[in-house]
Amino acid sequence: MGIISALGFTVLSTVIMGGDVATALPLGFLFGAMFGLAMAPMLSAITVRMSVPEARRGQVVHDLDLILAQLDYHVESSHDGYRNYSPSATGDFSFASLKMNPRAGQNIVITFLPETVTVVGPRMMVRKVERKFQQPQAA
């Protein structure tokens, strides 16, 4: 991510602002390194386990579907015991043979075990799911 943003910064600064490539390139790599360091904590994967009574499993699946739909995620695959959610955003970029997909690595996987629900995915989104799931549901 850092290299791509560094090259983008370099190209934009030379084309739009008329800068010199020799000075823009080091600044671009500095920008890319800073951007990568800033984004790394938000995009790192975490695992959260939540206790749920087995009797509420059907309601929990429904609640998690609603929460993830609010976060613009949809069920990509579902099997007994786990569900895989992926973001709905379409931001694919392709140029010649280079393809960039901002959704890569953004999936959320939920595993249902007896008395436990395990959520794995990007830190920022998993924390949002956890907060929304633990809020009291309006009756």
Side-chain angles (χ1 to χ4, degrees), residues 3-86:
I3 292 175
I4 293 171
S5 59
L7 294 176
F9 179 86
T10 303
V11 169
L12 287 176
S13 65
T14 55
V15 172
I16 293 175
M17 293 184 269
D20 182 27
V21 175
T23 56
L25 193 58
L27 290 175
F29 280 110
L30 179 64
F31 172 79
M34 299 297 277
F35 184 72
L37 289 173
M39 294 300 290
M42 290 184 276
L43 297 177
S44 64
I46 63 166
T47 301
V48 173
R49 288 179 181 83
M50 299 178 280
S51 296
V52 175
E54 183 70 26
R56 286 198 56 229
R57 183 172 174 171
Q59 182 63 37
V60 166
V61 171
H62 176 72
D63 290 346
L64 288 170
D65 281 344
L66 288 176
I67 289 168
L68 286 159
Q70 291 171 352
L71 296 174
D72 203 25
Y73 275 75
H74 67 276
V75 177
E76 186 174 290
S77 62
S78 176
H79 298 284
D80 189 36
Y82 81 91
R83 292 173 86 103
N84 184 12
Y85 296 86
S86 65

Side-chain angles (χ1 to χ4, degrees), residues 112-123:
F112 302 97
L113 300 171
E115 305 292 325
T116 306
V117 173
T118 304
V119 183
V120 179
R123 177 182 301 276

